[in-house]
Amino acid sequence: MKKHYLLAPGPTPVSPETLLAMATPIIHHRSPQFAEVVAECRVGLKYLFQTKQEVLILASTGTGAMEGAITNTLSPGDTALVVRGGKFGERWGEICAAYGVNFEAIDVEWGRAVQVADVAAKLKANPAIKAVCIQAHETSTGVNHPVKELAELTKSLPGTLLLVDAISALGAFELPMDAWGIDIMVAGSQKAMMLPPGLAFACLSEKAWEFTKTATCNKYYFNFSKELKNIQKNTGAYTSAVSLVMGLRDVLRYFKEATLEKIFAEHQLMSKATKAAVKALGLELFSQEGASDALTAVRAPAGVDGQDVVKLLRDKYGIMIAGGQAEAKGKIFRIAHMGYIGNFDIVMIIAALEVVLNELGYKAPYGAGVKAAEEVLFGGA
Amino acid sequence: MKKHYLLAPGPTPVSPETLLAMATPIIHHRSPQFAEVVAECRVGLKYLFQTKQEVLILASTGTGAMEGAITNTLSPGDTALVVRGGKFGERWGEICAAYGVNFEAIDVEWGRAVQVADVAAKLKANPAIKAVCIQAHETSTGVNHPVKELAELTKSLPGTLLLVDAISALGAFELPMDAWGIDIMVAGSQKAMMLPPGLAFACLSEKAWEFTKTATCNKYYFNFSKELKNIQKNTGAYTSAVSLVMGLRDVLRYFKEATLEKIFAEHQLMSKATKAAVKALGLELFSQEGASDALTAVRAPAGVDGQDVVKLLRDKYGIMIAGGQAEAKGKIFRIAHMGYIGNFDIVMIIAALEVVLNELGYKAPYGAGVKAAEEVLFGGA
Amino acid sequence: MKKHYLLAPGPTPVSPETLLAMATPIIHHRSPQFAEVVAECRVGLKYLFQTKQEVLILASTGTGAMEGAITNTLSPGDTALVVRGGKFGERWGEICAAYGVNFEAIDVEWGRAVQVADVAAKLKANPAIKAVCIQAHETSTGVNHPVKELAELTKSLPGTLLLVDAISALGAFELPMDAWGIDIMVAGSQKAMMLPPGLAFACLSEKAWEFTKTATCNKYYFNFSKELKNIQKNTGAYTSAVSLVMGLRDVLRYFKEATLEKIFAEHQLMSKATKAAVKALGLELFSQEGASDALTAVRAPAGVDGQDVVKLLRDKYGIMIAGGQAEAKGKIFRIAHMGYIGNFDIVMIIAALEVVLNELGYKAPYGAGVKAAEEVLFGGA
Amino acid sequence: MKKHYLLAPGPTPVSPETLLAMATPIIHHRSPQFAEVVAECRVGLKYLFQTKQEVLILASTGTGAMEGAITNTLSPGDTALVVRGGKFGERWGEICAAYGVNFEAIDVEWGRAVQVADVAAKLKANPAIKAVCIQAHETSTGVNHPVKELAELTKSLPGTLLLVDAISALGAFELPMDAWGIDIMVAGSQKAMMLPPGLAFACLSEKAWEFTKTATCNKYYFNFSKELKNIQKNTGAYTSAVSLVMGLRDVLRYFKEATLEKIFAEHQLMSKATKAAVKALGLELFSQEGASDALTAVRAPAGVDGQDVVKLLRDKYGIMIAGGQAEAKGKIFRIAHMGYIGNFDIVMIIAALEVVLNELGYKAPYGAGVKAAEEVLFGGA
């Protein structure tokens, strides 16, 4: 029987148990019953974000939370510094533009991480920069930016926030919001959080909450102060997406029980195995530094269109990975290792890759990639 | 065993079948498989909205779609006319204010529908009004505003749109967007559409799409033009809330199969029965005109706090209805008759009401309300 | 929307939570994971049966367990005493006959309970009687037989067992196996246990286990000794019906948490309310004594065919109750009050009954039955 | 995340869709709604059994249907011929013994198929043999017996039936009941039929139905004539296991749509790949002939206990395969390739086997088994 597999960077597979948790009868979003669920989620989200701050739960995708991060802390005419090293870096700029916020951009070659020194130079050159906008993991390239180091810079600047899009990062690798000094961290339900799409999250440092007091960007639906007041009462500003929140409780229980430490180690292992395996097949990583544990972006070998790899896996083998976006289209393909997956899913995708590459004319010796993956995942034979 | 019942005006009960349809394994939002689902939803939504226009599917609650209706058609400094006869009327004004749109308000006593003549007068007095913002059903009062008649007014004004919040109306009673000439109709998943909260819908007339070309209000996440381009390709601008969309397909199949005509008749019958029953118990409707088929708002009898009715039903009997909001708090309680409910749910809530009223000191003869409900629902004995 | 209701004496409604518990991925019946589930069920079943003995879990319906009760304790040529006051009493006799066990019968008028004195007389007259076979609740008539008193008789007879079919009784009302001295109690999953059909249960006293050592009736699949050895190792003789057992764990947790005491009281209340309501409508109970808390059997009024009541409820109103069987066909209809139902389901069925009786030409004043039900369920108005 | 895999010969994985189909609200087993489901199942079962006869649906595991096959066609004192080449062959004998049926046995070395000539000789030597009892696939050894050839023998003998236990065979490979002339074929839900355990099936040829008329073995619950009368009316003799039957409808739709031809080819491919892979790892098949497409039984290599392979896979890697039973315990392990599994599950189990064998001290070069599997499953590299 042809089964279906999802190894794309969002949405990712959701466990059967979580799917069933979301299929229980609908409860009202202003009931004591639901308040209890929210109360439990608040604790779980703080653990996941590694913060003492409240984490807001929004009914939208992650982009809505990104928009809110800008509009709740900045005002038209303010200047932001946007790191653009992929499709999602560009999104920060687009949002600024849409709301009248000026921005300077550091354009980083796709596949590379931003240089901390470049950011430092920009901040020094323009002290009016009120926000540095970055991706923890730039999903379009598989690269992690140096969030910890950037936070070191912004921590010392009272007039500058660090806004981190952690949509495809949170839950996959270490991002301790408070310890590092991140000012806003936004996340989405459908990546390493192992939920369906439809929930976004935003968490603000005290410093960021201060900024909200003077920010004059237009906003209504994504009003963080209003959401804060509501979540402190275990509810939301508008009708909560109750079924998704039921699922949220379920995955947060898992995160707590499994511990972040163990979960991050698992992602790291799957990531190392995937990277070792594609190299064993003679392929190159797209990321030249900062390769993320959430995703492996691979250059399509000479003569092979990355989109064909994606389509053949999808249409013939029922496996959904992702291709390249925008300028990387056709040049790369991307294997996510987050969501409800385990070590044997890595074995599976590598075997499938061996098959598909051969079908597309690239000689990948059967078993060679799998062998490399097994060695990383399970220790030497 | 204490069972739980949900007769609040959103979220409403979702059928077990739809809940299970949403529990199938997650599929990717950019896959041919999901495109097929969206394609089917597009047809179903047009049927439900009674329109030839595309209906946008947004990952947010209805308020997000209301915001988008304003920001996609108006510009800062424009003037809107807002009918405020309840909490949701006020929301139109709040959104305008949040985005720099001026507005004039017609304040209607809670419990009453707006007078068409009053709107006509306003429009005549100020030809610069670019949008009339109204609720088809003002959920906080149980009143329907005269949308059809208002559309008659705006249809003849090339510079004025009619924006209708149909969040708690669509699917409960007749609202033929094209036939009446509504310019924007927004809806939410969690009312008569019988889905969990988390999806919003917006549909624009050709006239409204024209307005989007010059509207300069800030917007990013709720960008209707971008969503239009995407849905025409059977996808969304951002990650679609795939599990909710699976449920959407399921309910739209039901709407199509059952026919709107039959569904509206069922709501009307349940509404009539509820209203007859509360009157038989000596209670008064809160709505003085335009009583909606989606909801029955009831004045708490002298000496009884409406909130106590709500709480006792909820905490002792497991039945969730709604209380009054803002100025109506304590004065009324609201019984919704939409979502996955049937005639016997009306019998149930009326019996429960008889019980609870007696417990609160109001003499409601057992069986009297139920008798009245049965007569309407099932014909004379 | 036409919803569906199930108030028949098995299968009964199963809670959404239990249905979802059974939809988790299949686990192996010889795994530590499943052994844990069985271990928990063993404890829960002992609580439910009020026994220190092991309760066997069989993959069959209750009839299989009845067959096993006979074949595991008796031998061809042995004599049993069978109380026949309905369809299921007859089944005991049919099973005896099928396996070469002689039986004497006490034929009780349908609708009546057996007289303890009649059983005592039979036992005295024929000391060779090795088993008294009875229903705790004769589902076809809604009558409880005096199990406690019969156990008093058999307890003092070392050569005679009391075999109790508790299929539609266990979980609905008090049946303390050990305290009363019942020798075999068999049950089924699909009645008051609130599970789908497919599991049967059998529990044997020490005295009954002694009988198994000499019983020579043919048996293979329903071999209690073999099942005992297996369940003591937290498994079953053959492949366990794992999905149903997952549901079993779920309901047993509920029984434990809610307590038998409270659950029996709830059944009693629903039963009283139903009986009061049908009397208020001028109808008569079919049971002339021993009316069960699990079921209300009602005589169809003059001029009304009981089957028509059943069919109209089912086909027009989506409500499934049961008609009469065999000689009671057409004369009665039966409303079960067990499974995943609550007080408002009683209100619902009584209202529906009022409607249907009127449609069939019997004048039942709307609200009169509901009023009576409300008074019992919720206290005087 | 550690995921769980089930590659044991029953229960096998059930698809999420089928699990959800069984989670819909319970319907009554004597309702028009359920009759429709049964009617559809009857057609689907005939397709699956490749027969014009009615297929009986029993609430039990497969063993119950085996018992029924004996008791419904034979009488005490009759003689059966039982082929014993594994645990399930022995079961035929045990059932005969339990019901007073004499039997002659052909004891076949575990791992071998019966010789048709040996059966022919027995039949010739004792014309009183009324039934030949065999496994289509002896699950304990992974061997297929030559059912087609045996049917050739029994077809010409008017007084002799061929009883085939197809529990772990039906749906995995070709077994055309009518075309081959099988007299009784029994099956279980939890193997290649991709359902949870709890349903058994039995199908009788006209010749077998003739035998039922004179068979005097004791029986009550497993009374095939009674079941036949009931299923012809789209119901069952006792309460049907409705939730499992809902799942049955779902899988039968799949069988029909996918076609038996394609499904058998898929099993064959997975079987070939598994067998090639274990050989590539230097292991030997346990089956010396008639290796089944449903299962691969592998000899544990020298120095490795087969049970350790099973336990390590289960406890460390979350993968459930089966060990050897009775005399094969410790000597073999068994990988099933049936149920809701696909080609990549074969890749997965082979990789896992490579890992586990190494951990147990047997040198299995990483990737070597996977390579062999890939070549069979996907064509040469």
Side-chain angles (χ1 to χ4, degrees):
Chain A
M1 169 174 279
K2 187 168 156 187
K3 291 170 68 173
H4 290 270
Y5 300 89
L6 191 50
L7 287 136
T12 59
V14 174
S15 80
E17 288 75 13
T18 303
L19 288 169
L20 296 174
M22 294 184 290
T24 47
I26 297 299
I27 57 176
H28 198 266
H29 63 297
R30 309 268 188 235
S31 65
Q33 222 182 333
F34 186 64
E36 232 176 82
V37 177
V38 174
E40 188 178 341
C41 288
R42 287 168 65 193
V43 175
L45 284 168
K46 285 174 187 174
Y47 175 71
L48 179 58
F49 277 71
Q50 302 190 49
T51 185
K52 286 180 182 164
Q53 302 298 320
E54 211 58 71
V55 180
L56 310 178
I57 307 174
L58 308 165
S60 77
T61 65
T63 299
M66 289 173 72
E67 175 175 322
I70 296 292
T71 59
N72 282 274
T73 56
L74 302 180
S75 303
D78 278 354
T79 301
L81 175 62
V82 170
V83 174
R84 298 195 296 202
K87 189 186 158 188
F88 294 96
E90 286 166 11
R91 185 163 292 176
W92 277 124
E94 292 164 11
I95 295 171
C96 287
Y99 278 89
V101 172
N102 301 321
F103 70 93
E104 295 186 24
I106 298 181
D107 284 312
V108 178
E109 189 189 346
W110 282 43
R112 306 209 81 116
V114 73
Q115 296 298 310
V116 178
D118 291 351
V119 175
K122 281 279 187 186
L123 288 173
K124 199 165 180 188
N126 186 354
I129 288 172
K130 293 187 72 173
V132 176
C133 303
I134 191 91
Q135 270 62 40
H137 167 226
E138 171 57 64
T139 321
S140 59
T141 64
V143 167
N144 285 358
H145 287 301
V147 169
K148 188 180 181 182
E149 291 73 14
L150 295 177
E152 288 299 323
L153 295 180
T154 51
K155 267 198 290 190
S156 59
L157 302 172
T160 311
L161 299 176
L162 179 62
L163 273 51
V164 176
D165 160 5
I167 294 173
S168 64
L170 186 79
F173 54 84
E174 185 72 350
L175 264 182
M177 164 135 181
D178 288 1
W180 286 3
I182 296 168
D183 290 307
I184 305 191
M185 196 148 86
V186 302
S189 50
Q190 80 278 16
K191 313 275 180 177
M193 288 184 70
M194 307 193 296
L195 286 173
L199 291 184
F201 307 93
C203 186
L204 283 71
S205 68
E206 277 180 45
K207 187 174 159 189
W209 281 117
E210 276 305 309
F211 274 58
T212 65
K213 295 179 184 165
T214 53
T216 62
C217 272
N218 299 145
K219 61 195 152 282
Y220 186 80
Y221 185 72
F222 296 113
N223 185 322
F224 286 179
S225 304
K226 201 168 168 185
E227 291 292 351
L228 179 64
K229 267 179 222 136
N230 278 277
I231 199 160
Q232 284 168 339
K233 292 180 284 184
N234 293 324
T235 185
Y238 308 110
T239 310
S240 302
V242 291
S243 62
L244 294 170
V245 175
M246 296 305 287
L248 176 63
R249 179 174 64 171
D250 197 68
V251 295
L252 289 173
R253 285 177 180 175
Y254 168 75
F255 276 100
K256 184 71 190 170
E257 197 185 300
T259 77
L260 290 182
E261 197 183 3
K262 186 169 157 290
I263 288 170
F264 295 155
E266 288 175 350
H267 281 83
Q268 195 176 48
L269 192 66
M270 293 193 292
S271 174
K272 274 190 188 168
T274 308
K275 287 166 178 61
V278 295
K279 283 178 192 167
L281 295 174
L283 304 176
E284 285 171 44
L285 298 185
F286 182 59
S287 52
Q288 303 192 39
E289 66 230 329
S292 177
D293 283 348
L295 182 85
T296 298
V298 185
R299 281 188 192 281
V304 173
D305 186 324
Q307 290 305 98
D308 289 342
V309 174
V310 174
K311 278 180 199 156
L312 201 55
L313 281 170
R314 183 189 74 195
D315 297 337
K316 188 164 176 187
Y317 297 104
I319 303 168
M320 191 81 191
I321 63 165
Q325 294 168 297
E327 63 176 69
K329 194 160 191 166
K331 295 184 198 157
I332 66 169
F333 54 86
R334 294 175 296 146
I335 301 166
H337 15 73
M338 35 180 186
Y340 177 67
I341 63 159
N343 289 344
F344 289 105
D345 290 298
I346 302 304
V347 168
M348 180 275 295
I349 183 61
I350 296 302
L353 191 59
E354 292 175 357
V355 171
V356 160
L357 287 173
N358 277 288
E359 293 191 31
L360 292 171
Y362 175 83
K363 292 290 165 201
Y366 275 4
V370 171
K371 176 178 188 292
E374 287 181 80
E375 281 166 355
V376 175
L377 293 168
F378 309 110
Chain B
M1 169 173 279
K2 187 169 157 187
K3 290 169 69 173
H4 291 270
Y5 300 90
L6 190 51
L7 287 136
T12 59
V14 174
S15 80
E17 288 76 13
T18 302
L19 287 169
L20 295 175
M22 293 185 290
T24 47
I26 298 298
I27 57 175
H28 198 267
H29 63 297
R30 309 268 188 236
S31 66
Q33 222 181 332
F34 187 64
E36 234 176 80
V37 177
V38 174
E40 188 178 339
C41 288
R42 289 168 64 193
V43 175
L45 284 168
K46 284 175 186 173
Y47 174 72
L48 179 58
F49 277 71
Q50 302 190 50
T51 185
K52 286 180 180 165
Q53 302 297 322
E54 210 58 71
V55 180
L56 310 178
I57 306 173
L58 307 166
S60 77
T61 65
T63 299
M66 289 174 73
E67 174 175 321
I70 296 291
T71 59
N72 281 274
T73 55
L74 302 179
S75 303
D78 278 354
T79 301
L81 175 63
V82 170
V83 175
R84 297 195 296 203
K87 187 187 159 188
F88 295 95
E90 287 165 11
R91 185 162 293 176
W92 278 124
E94 293 164 11
I95 295 171
C96 287
Y99 279 89
V101 172
N102 301 320
F103 69 93
E104 295 186 25
I106 297 180
D107 284 314
V108 179
E109 190 190 344
W110 282 43
R112 306 210 82 118
V114 74
Q115 296 299 310
V116 178
D118 291 350
V119 176
K122 281 279 188 184
L123 287 173
K124 199 164 178 188
N126 185 354
I129 289 172
K130 294 187 73 174
V132 177
C133 303
I134 192 92
Q135 270 61 41
H137 167 228
E138 171 57 63
T139 321
S140 60
T141 64
V143 168
N144 284 357
H145 287 301
V147 169
K148 187 181 181 182
E149 291 73 14
L150 295 176
E152 288 300 322
L153 296 178
T154 51
K155 266 197 291 191
S156 60
L157 302 171
T160 311
L161 299 176
L162 179 63
L163 273 51
V164 177
D165 161 5
I167 294 173
S168 64
L170 185 79
F173 54 84
E174 185 72 351
L175 265 182
M177 165 138 179
D178 288 1
W180 285 3
I182 297 167
D183 290 308
I184 305 191
M185 195 149 87
V186 302
S189 49
Q190 81 277 19
K191 313 275 179 175
M193 288 184 71
M194 307 193 296
L195 286 173
L199 290 184
F201 306 93
C203 185
L204 283 71
S205 68
E206 277 180 44
K207 187 175 159 188
W209 281 118
E210 278 304 310
F211 274 58
T212 65
K213 294 178 184 165
T214 53
T216 62
C217 272
N218 297 145
K219 62 196 151 280
Y220 187 80
Y221 184 72
F222 296 114
N223 185 322
F224 286 179
S225 304
K226 201 167 167 185
E227 291 292 352
L228 179 63
K229 268 179 221 136
N230 277 276
I231 200 161
Q232 284 168 340
K233 291 180 285 184
N234 293 323
T235 186
Y238 308 111
T239 310
S240 302
V242 290
S243 62
L244 294 169
V245 175
M246 295 305 287
L248 176 62
R249 179 174 65 171
D250 198 67
V251 295
L252 290 173
R253 284 176 179 174
Y254 169 74
F255 275 100
K256 184 71 191 171
E257 197 184 299
T259 77
L260 290 181
E261 197 184 2
K262 186 169 157 291
I263 288 169
F264 295 155
E266 287 175 351
H267 281 83
Q268 195 175 49
L269 192 67
M270 293 192 293
S271 173
K272 274 190 186 168
T274 307
K275 287 165 177 62
V278 295
K279 284 178 191 166
L281 294 174
L283 304 176
E284 284 171 45
L285 297 186
F286 181 59
S287 52
Q288 304 192 40
E289 65 231 329
S292 178
D293 284 347
L295 182 85
T296 297
V298 186
R299 280 187 193 282
V304 173
D305 186 324
Q307 290 305 97
D308 289 341
V309 174
V310 173
K311 277 181 201 158
L312 201 56
L313 281 171
R314 183 189 74 194
D315 298 337
K316 188 164 175 187
Y317 297 105
I319 302 168
M320 190 83 192
I321 64 165
Q325 295 167 296
E327 63 175 68
K329 193 158 193 168
K331 297 185 197 156
I332 66 170
F333 54 86
R334 295 173 296 145
I335 301 165
H337 15 74
M338 34 178 187
Y340 177 68
I341 64 160
N343 290 344
F344 289 105
D345 290 298
I346 302 303
V347 168
M348 180 275 294
I349 183 62
I350 296 302
L353 191 58
E354 292 175 357
V355 172
V356 160
L357 287 172
N358 277 289
E359 294 191 31
L360 293 172
Y362 175 82
K363 292 288 165 203
Y366 276 2
V370 170
K371 177 179 187 292
E374 286 181 82
E375 282 166 355
V376 175
L377 292 169
F378 309 109
Chain C
M1 169 174 279
K2 188 169 157 187
K3 290 170 67 173
H4 290 270
Y5 300 89
L6 190 50
L7 286 136
T12 60
V14 174
S15 80
E17 288 76 12
T18 303
L19 287 170
L20 295 175
M22 293 185 290
T24 46
I26 297 299
I27 57 175
H28 198 266
H29 64 297
R30 309 268 188 235
S31 65
Q33 221 182 332
F34 187 64
E36 234 175 82
V37 177
V38 174
E40 188 178 341
C41 288
R42 289 168 64 192
V43 175
L45 284 167
K46 285 174 185 172
Y47 174 72
L48 179 58
F49 277 71
Q50 302 189 50
T51 186
K52 286 181 182 165
Q53 302 298 322
E54 211 58 71
V55 180
L56 310 178
I57 306 173
L58 309 165
S60 76
T61 66
T63 300
M66 290 173 72
E67 175 175 321
I70 297 292
T71 59
N72 282 273
T73 56
L74 302 179
S75 302
D78 279 353
T79 300
L81 175 63
V82 170
V83 174
R84 297 194 297 202
K87 188 188 157 187
F88 295 96
E90 287 167 11
R91 185 163 294 175
W92 278 124
E94 292 164 11
I95 295 171
C96 287
Y99 279 89
V101 172
N102 301 321
F103 70 93
E104 295 187 24
I106 298 181
D107 285 311
V108 178
E109 188 190 346
W110 283 43
R112 307 209 81 117
V114 74
Q115 296 299 310
V116 178
D118 291 351
V119 175
K122 282 280 188 185
L123 288 173
K124 197 164 182 190
N126 185 355
I129 289 172
K130 294 187 73 174
V132 177
C133 303
I134 191 91
Q135 269 62 39
H137 167 226
E138 171 56 64
T139 320
S140 60
T141 64
V143 168
N144 284 358
H145 287 302
V147 169
K148 187 180 181 181
E149 291 73 14
L150 295 177
E152 288 300 323
L153 296 179
T154 52
K155 267 198 290 190
S156 60
L157 301 171
T160 311
L161 299 177
L162 179 63
L163 274 50
V164 176
D165 161 5
I167 294 173
S168 64
L170 185 78
F173 54 83
E174 186 71 350
L175 265 182
M177 166 136 180
D178 288 1
W180 286 4
I182 297 167
D183 290 308
I184 305 191
M185 195 149 86
V186 302
S189 50
Q190 80 278 18
K191 313 274 181 179
M193 287 184 71
M194 307 192 296
L195 285 174
L199 291 184
F201 307 93
C203 185
L204 284 71
S205 68
E206 277 180 44
K207 186 175 160 190
W209 281 119
E210 277 305 309
F211 274 58
T212 66
K213 295 179 184 165
T214 53
T216 62
C217 272
N218 298 145
K219 62 197 151 280
Y220 187 80
Y221 185 73
F222 297 113
N223 185 321
F224 286 179
S225 305
K226 200 168 168 184
E227 290 292 351
L228 179 63
K229 268 179 221 136
N230 277 277
I231 199 160
Q232 284 168 340
K233 293 180 285 184
N234 294 322
T235 187
Y238 308 111
T239 310
S240 302
V242 289
S243 62
L244 294 169
V245 175
M246 295 305 287
L248 175 62
R249 179 175 64 171
D250 197 68
V251 295
L252 290 173
R253 285 177 179 174
Y254 168 76
F255 275 101
K256 184 71 190 170
E257 196 185 300
T259 77
L260 290 182
E261 197 182 5
K262 186 170 157 289
I263 288 169
F264 295 156
E266 287 175 351
H267 281 83
Q268 195 175 48
L269 192 67
M270 293 193 292
S271 173
K272 275 190 185 166
T274 307
K275 288 166 177 61
V278 296
K279 284 178 190 166
L281 294 174
L283 304 176
E284 285 171 43
L285 297 185
F286 181 61
S287 52
Q288 304 191 41
E289 65 231 328
S292 177
D293 284 347
L295 182 86
T296 298
V298 186
R299 281 187 193 281
V304 172
D305 186 324
Q307 290 304 99
D308 288 342
V309 174
V310 174
K311 278 181 198 156
L312 201 55
L313 281 170
R314 184 189 74 194
D315 298 336
K316 189 164 174 187
Y317 297 105
I319 302 168
M320 191 82 192
I321 64 165
Q325 295 168 295
E327 62 176 69
K329 193 159 194 166
K331 296 183 198 157
I332 67 169
F333 54 88
R334 296 174 295 146
I335 300 166
H337 15 74
M338 36 180 184
Y340 177 68
I341 65 160
N343 290 344
F344 290 105
D345 290 299
I346 302 304
V347 168
M348 180 276 294
I349 184 62
I350 296 303
L353 191 59
E354 291 175 358
V355 172
V356 160
L357 288 173
N358 277 288
E359 293 190 31
L360 292 171
Y362 176 82
K363 292 289 164 202
Y366 275 4
V370 171
K371 177 179 188 290
E374 286 181 82
E375 282 165 355
V376 175
L377 293 169
F378 309 110
Chain D
M1 168 173 279
K2 188 168 157 187
K3 291 170 67 173
H4 290 270
Y5 300 89
L6 191 50
L7 286 135
T12 59
V14 174
S15 81
E17 288 75 14
T18 303
L19 287 169
L20 295 175
M22 292 184 292
T24 48
I26 298 298
I27 57 175
H28 198 266
H29 64 297
R30 309 266 188 238
S31 65
Q33 222 182 331
F34 187 65
E36 233 175 82
V37 177
V38 174
E40 189 179 338
C41 288
R42 288 168 65 192
V43 174
L45 284 167
K46 285 175 185 173
Y47 174 72
L48 179 58
F49 277 70
Q50 301 190 51
T51 185
K52 286 180 182 163
Q53 302 297 322
E54 213 54 74
V55 180
L56 310 178
I57 306 173
L58 308 165
S60 77
T61 65
T63 300
M66 289 173 73
E67 174 174 322
I70 296 291
T71 59
N72 282 273
T73 56
L74 302 179
S75 303
D78 278 354
T79 300
L81 175 63
V82 170
V83 174
R84 298 195 295 202
K87 187 187 160 188
F88 295 94
E90 286 166 12
R91 185 163 294 175
W92 278 124
E94 292 164 11
I95 295 171
C96 287
Y99 278 89
V101 171
N102 301 320
F103 69 93
E104 296 187 24
I106 297 181
D107 284 313
V108 178
E109 188 191 345
W110 282 43
R112 307 209 81 118
V114 74
Q115 295 300 309
V116 178
D118 291 351
V119 176
K122 282 279 189 185
L123 288 173
K124 198 164 180 190
N126 185 355
I129 289 172
K130 292 188 74 174
V132 177
C133 303
I134 191 93
Q135 270 61 40
H137 167 226
E138 171 57 63
T139 320
S140 59
T141 63
V143 167
N144 284 358
H145 287 301
V147 169
K148 187 180 182 183
E149 291 73 14
L150 296 176
E152 288 300 322
L153 296 178
T154 52
K155 268 198 289 190
S156 60
L157 303 171
T160 311
L161 298 177
L162 179 63
L163 274 50
V164 177
D165 160 6
I167 294 173
S168 63
L170 186 78
F173 54 84
E174 185 71 351
L175 265 181
M177 166 138 179
D178 287 3
W180 286 3
I182 296 167
D183 290 308
I184 304 191
M185 195 148 86
V186 302
S189 50
Q190 80 278 18
K191 313 274 181 177
M193 287 184 71
M194 307 193 296
L195 285 173
L199 290 184
F201 306 93
C203 185
L204 284 72
S205 67
E206 276 180 45
K207 186 175 160 189
W209 281 118
E210 277 305 308
F211 273 59
T212 66
K213 294 179 184 165
T214 54
T216 63
C217 272
N218 297 147
K219 61 195 151 282
Y220 187 80
Y221 185 71
F222 297 113
N223 185 321
F224 287 179
S225 304
K226 201 168 168 184
E227 291 292 351
L228 178 64
K229 268 178 221 136
N230 277 277
I231 199 160
Q232 284 168 341
K233 291 180 285 182
N234 294 321
T235 187
Y238 308 111
T239 309
S240 302
V242 290
S243 62
L244 293 170
V245 175
M246 295 306 287
L248 176 62
R249 180 175 64 172
D250 197 68
V251 295
L252 290 173
R253 284 177 181 175
Y254 168 75
F255 276 100
K256 184 70 191 171
E257 197 185 299
T259 77
L260 290 182
E261 196 183 3
K262 186 169 156 289
I263 288 169
F264 295 156
E266 287 175 351
H267 281 83
Q268 196 176 47
L269 191 67
M270 293 193 292
S271 173
K272 275 190 185 166
T274 307
K275 288 166 177 64
V278 295
K279 285 178 191 167
L281 293 174
L283 305 176
E284 284 172 44
L285 298 185
F286 182 60
S287 52
Q288 304 191 41
E289 65 230 330
S292 177
D293 284 347
L295 182 86
T296 298
V298 185
R299 281 187 192 280
V304 173
D305 186 324
Q307 289 305 97
D308 289 341
V309 174
V310 173
K311 277 181 199 157
L312 199 56
L313 281 171
R314 184 188 74 194
D315 297 337
K316 188 164 176 188
Y317 297 105
I319 303 168
M320 190 82 191
I321 64 165
Q325 294 167 297
E327 62 176 68
K329 193 158 192 168
K331 295 184 198 157
I332 66 168
F333 53 88
R334 296 174 295 146
I335 301 165
H337 14 73
M338 36 179 186
Y340 176 67
I341 63 159
N343 289 345
F344 289 105
D345 289 298
I346 302 305
V347 168
M348 181 274 294
I349 183 60
I350 296 303
L353 191 58
E354 291 175 358
V355 171
V356 160
L357 287 173
N358 277 288
E359 294 191 30
L360 292 171
Y362 176 82
K363 293 289 164 202
Y366 275 3
V370 170
K371 177 179 188 291
E374 286 181 82
E375 282 166 355
V376 174
L377 293 168
F378 308 110

